[in-house]
Amino acid sequence: MPTFKLDGKDIPFEPGESIIKAAYRQGTEVPHYCWHPGLSAPANCRMCLVEIKPPPNQRALMLDVVEWDAKAGEYRPMQKPKLQPACQMPAVENQEVLSESSKHVLEARAHVQEFLLLNHPVDCPICDQAGECKLQDYWLEHQTTAKRMRDEPIHKPKAVVFGPTIVYDAERCVMCTRCIRFMDEVAQDPVLDMRERGNLNEITVAPGRELDGHYTFMTEHVCPVGALTTKDFRFKARVWFLKSAKSVCQGCATGCNSYVDFDPRYNKVQRYRPRDNEAVNKYWMCDEGMLSYRAAHEGRVLDARVGTKKTSVDTAVVEAKKRLSDVPSSSIAIVFSAQHSLEDNWAMRELAKQLGATSLYVSGAASGYADKILIDADKNSNTAGVLELVPNPKSFAQLLDDVRGGRVSHVVALGGLSPKNDPEDATALGMLGTLVVIAAHEGALTEAAHILLPATSWVEASGTYVNRQGFHQVADKALEPQGASRPAWEHARLIGRALGLEVSWTKLKDIRNSLTGGAPQAVTPHDTHDANDATTSVST
C-alpha cells in the first residue's frame, strides 16, 4: 500500500483517499470541524489546513508576501507556503505533509479559532456539548489567547425547535454544514439549509417542514459543537460523569455498533451513540435505535415470581424442579429467543439436549418498518444467532398450535416477547401445565408464566449477537445487574442442576470456548476515531 509522511510518520492510504481520511483511519487527527468521514468535504471551516512541502527547486506551493520587520521598521518580502485543506487534498505517494510540526499551520489554526469564537457565546457552563466540544478542545490546543474583540457579539435565535427531537442554538453554530449534508446525502431528506451570509449565517428548516423522520438524532451526533441538541439528552447529564461501553444496538437485525454511555453512580444508561463500523452501520444509527437504550430500564423483569407472587431465585428454581421432574421429554418444549444473546441461547440448547426435548421453537418481537439505509424489518438483534444454533426451529405460532393440540404441555422459554400479544395467544399459553420463563423484559410469555426468572439485559452482561450479515458482534457489560437479575445462561444452569442434569458450563468463558474455541471476534474493518470526535473508538 502506498504511503505518505505526516509530521514524519508514514501514513498508508488507498487510492483516492484524502490526506485527512488516511490519517483518520490510522488514528491520527488533523483538526477539523466541517469534515466527516461519511460525508462530502466542503472545506469551509479551514481548520484542517496543512503544509505540503514542495519538491526541491520548486516554488509552486510558495506564496510571496510581505511581513513587518519591527527592528528595521519596514515591511520586507518573505515566502510562506500555500496551506491546503487536508479534507480535499488527495494523498500522494511519498508526499511530505506538515501539520503539528509547521509553525505556519499552527498560526493559521489559531486565526481560524479566533474567527470562529468572535461571536460565540460563553455558554460552556450550560451547554450540553461541554466536555466533548471541539471548540473547547481546539482552543486549548491551537489558540489559548484571550478574546480581543470588544464589540457586542452578533445575537441569533436560541432554543429553536427544529422538530420532535432536535433543538437548535444558532449562536453556537460554526456553520460546518454537517447536519445539512447528512440529511441530504445519508437520510435522503434535504430538509435543512443555510440562510443569510457572513456572521449572520444560521441553519434553517425548509418552509412548511420540520426536522423529522428516522435519522434526526444523527444531525445532533455529527454536530461538533453545542448548536444541535436532542430533547432526549438535553440537560440530562454531564459527559464527564459518564462512562462508555462498546455495545450492539438491539433495535433490529442490522446490529449497529454503538457506545452505551452510562452513569456508574446511579447504574443508569443515559444515551446511545453510534460506533464506527464501515461493514455494518458505517458511522450512523437510526432514531429508534438510539432511543432503544431505554429498554435497559423500562419494562424490565427484576424479581423472580411463582405465579403472581414475588419470591427468591432459589425458591423459583425449586418450584421449576417440582413441575418439570418426571415429565416425559416428548411433552417438553424449549423456546429460544431472537432477543437474547448467543450465549443465552446456547445454554438453552444444551438444556434441551440434556432434557431430551426435541420440540424447539423461537420467539421474539414482531416485524416492523424497514428502509434501505439501516433499518431492518426484523426487530430482533439475534435471529441469525438462533438459526446458527438451531437450524430449523418452529415458529411461535406453531408453538401455540401444538399447545392447543395437546402435543406440548410443558415449556421452558427464553425471553418474554412474542410476535403479537393478543388475547388468543394468552388463552393458548394458559392451557400449559407448566411455563417456565427466563426473561429480561415483560411480554406475553412473562404474563402467562407459572415460574419467572429475571435475566440481565444486554447492558448488564457481555453477550454475542449475530446480525443479518452473519457477523458475530460483542456487546460489553456496562451496568451492574439490576434487581435479582442474572445472565439467562446462569438461570438455565440452575434449572439443569436442579433437575440432576450434567451441566457443563459454570462461567461465560466456558460457553464461549464451546461456541468458538475462544472469545468471539467481531468485525474490525478499520480501527478509527469516533466519527463524532468525542472519544477514540476501536472496533470490538
Side-chain angles (χ1 to χ4, degrees), residues 249-381:
C249 179
Q250 302 293 299
C252 74
T254 301
C256 292
N257 288 209
S258 60
Y259 285 108
V260 55
D261 293 340
F262 62 99
D263 193 330
R265 299 173 301 169
Y266 308 112
N267 201 39
K268 185 175 182 180
V269 177
Q270 298 287 15
R271 66 176 180 180
Y272 245 161
R273 289 183 291 122
R275 179 162 53 93
D276 298 5
N277 192 324
E278 295 183 14
V280 178
N281 56 303
K282 296 184 179 178
Y283 315 96
W284 322 118
M285 284 177 70
C286 69
D287 289 3
E288 291 80 2
M290 291 187 74
L291 287 173
S292 66
Y293 77 88
R294 295 175 177 174
H297 304 285
E298 297 177 357
R300 289 296 308 280
V301 176
L302 298 179
D303 296 289
R305 297 201 299 261
V306 174
T308 58
K309 184 180 178 181
K310 291 183 180 180
T311 186
S312 68
V313 170
D314 291 340
T315 301
V317 171
V318 170
E319 182 65 21
K321 175 186 176 181
K322 291 179 182 178
R323 286 177 168 266
L324 295 174
S325 295
D326 302 323
V327 175
S329 59
S330 59
S331 297
I332 298 178
I334 299 294
V335 180
F336 298 87
S337 174
Q339 292 268 310
H340 278 256
S341 70
L342 196 64
E343 291 84 355
D344 291 345
N345 282 285
W346 179 90
M348 294 296 291
R349 187 187 69 175
E350 294 303 301
L351 185 62
K353 288 180 181 179
Q354 291 290 324
L355 287 170
T358 57
S359 298
L360 307 179
Y361 304 85
V362 62
S363 184
S367 299
Y369 170 82
D371 63 21
K372 295 181 180 180
I373 303 172
L374 283 179
I375 305 174
D376 195 278
D378 181 1
K379 301 306 174 185
N380 300 287
S381 59

Side-chain angles (χ1 to χ4, degrees), residues 10 22 26 31 45 90 102 118 142 153 203 223 228 248-249 255 264 295 333 350 362 371 393 422 463-464 524:
D10 286 330
Q26 297 302 311
C45 75
S102 169
L118 284 179
H142 301 285
I203 305 298
C223 181
L228 293 172
V248 177
C249 179
E350 294 303 301
V362 62
D371 63 21
D422 59 32
T464 306
T524 55

Side-chain angles (χ1 to χ4, degrees), residues 157-458:
K158 299 181 73 69
V160 180
V161 176
F162 270 9
T165 60
I166 300 295
V167 176
Y168 175 62
D169 192 321
E171 288 187 345
R172 301 174 186 167
C173 186
V174 296
M175 296 301 148
C176 69
T177 69
R178 282 187 182 186
C179 57
I180 297 174
R181 285 176 283 135
F182 173 81
M183 291 303 298
D184 187 12
E185 299 167 10
V186 180
Q188 303 294 310
D189 183 17
V191 67
L192 298 179
D193 206 344
M194 186 190 299
R195 68 181 177 194
E196 303 297 345
R197 303 180 67 181
N199 58 9
L200 298 179
N201 270 352
E202 61 182 82
I203 305 298
T204 185
V205 182
R209 287 289 310 277
E210 63 177 2
L211 181 59
D212 55 9
H214 295 277
Y215 295 93
T216 62
F217 273 52
M218 279 292 92
T219 61
E220 183 273 337
H221 179 71
V222 299
C223 181
V225 296
L228 293 172
T229 52
T230 63
K231 293 181 181 180
D232 177 70
F233 188 69
R234 185 176 172 87
F235 305 135
K236 182 188 287 187
R238 285 300 194 184
V239 297
W240 48 79
F241 291 129
L242 303 181
K243 291 187 176 181
S244 297
K246 296 172 183 177
S247 190
V248 177
C249 179
Q250 302 293 299
C252 74
T254 301
C256 292
N257 288 209
S258 60
Y259 285 108
V260 55
D261 293 340
F262 62 99
D263 193 330
R265 299 173 301 169
Y266 308 112
N267 201 39
K268 185 175 182 180
V269 177
Q270 298 287 15
R271 66 176 180 180
Y272 245 161
R273 289 183 291 122
R275 179 162 53 93
D276 298 5
N277 192 324
E278 295 183 14
V280 178
N281 56 303
K282 296 184 179 178
Y283 315 96
W284 322 118
M285 284 177 70
C286 69
D287 289 3
E288 291 80 2
M290 291 187 74
L291 287 173
S292 66
Y293 77 88
R294 295 175 177 174
H297 304 285
E298 297 177 357
R300 289 296 308 280
V301 176
L302 298 179
D303 296 289
R305 297 201 299 261
V306 174
T308 58
K309 184 180 178 181
K310 291 183 180 180
T311 186
S312 68
V313 170
D314 291 340
T315 301
V317 171
V318 170
E319 182 65 21
K321 175 186 176 181
K322 291 179 182 178
R323 286 177 168 266
L324 295 174
S325 295
D326 302 323
V327 175
S329 59
S330 59
S331 297
I332 298 178
I334 299 294
V335 180
F336 298 87
S337 174
Q339 292 268 310
H340 278 256
S341 70
L342 196 64
E343 291 84 355
D344 291 345
N345 282 285
W346 179 90
M348 294 296 291
R349 187 187 69 175
E350 294 303 301
L351 185 62
K353 288 180 181 179
Q354 291 290 324
L355 287 170
T358 57
S359 298
L360 307 179
Y361 304 85
V362 62
S363 184
S367 299
Y369 170 82
D371 63 21
K372 295 181 180 180
I373 303 172
L374 283 179
I375 305 174
D376 195 278
D378 181 1
K379 301 306 174 185
N380 300 287
S381 59
N382 203 28
T383 299
V386 173
L387 297 179
E388 185 178 287
L389 293 170
V390 188
N392 296 298
K394 297 179 183 179
S395 68
F396 188 77
Q398 289 175 301
L399 170 66
L400 298 178
D401 289 340
D402 289 345
V403 172
R404 294 187 187 101
R407 292 178 291 277
V408 171
S409 60
H410 294 68
V411 170
V412 180
L414 175 63
L417 296 181
S418 63
K420 58 179 182 176
N421 189 14
D422 59 32
E424 292 185 4
D425 291 357
T427 300
L429 292 173
M431 298 170 63
L432 287 168
T434 298
L435 175 57
V436 179
V437 178
I438 305 169
H441 294 90
E442 298 282 2
L445 285 164
T446 61
E447 291 175 6
H450 299 105
I451 300 165
L452 178 60
L453 294 168
T456 51
S457 69
W458 82 103

Side-chain angles (χ1 to χ4, degrees), residues 456-488:
T456 51
S457 69
W458 82 103
V459 294
E460 295 160 358
S462 178
T464 306
Y465 299 86
V466 185
N467 77 343
R468 62 185 179 185
Q469 298 165 279
F471 294 143
H472 290 62
Q473 304 185 119
V474 179
D476 291 340
K477 176 183 176 181
L479 303 184
E480 293 302 315
Q482 300 175 72
S485 62
R486 303 181 185 181

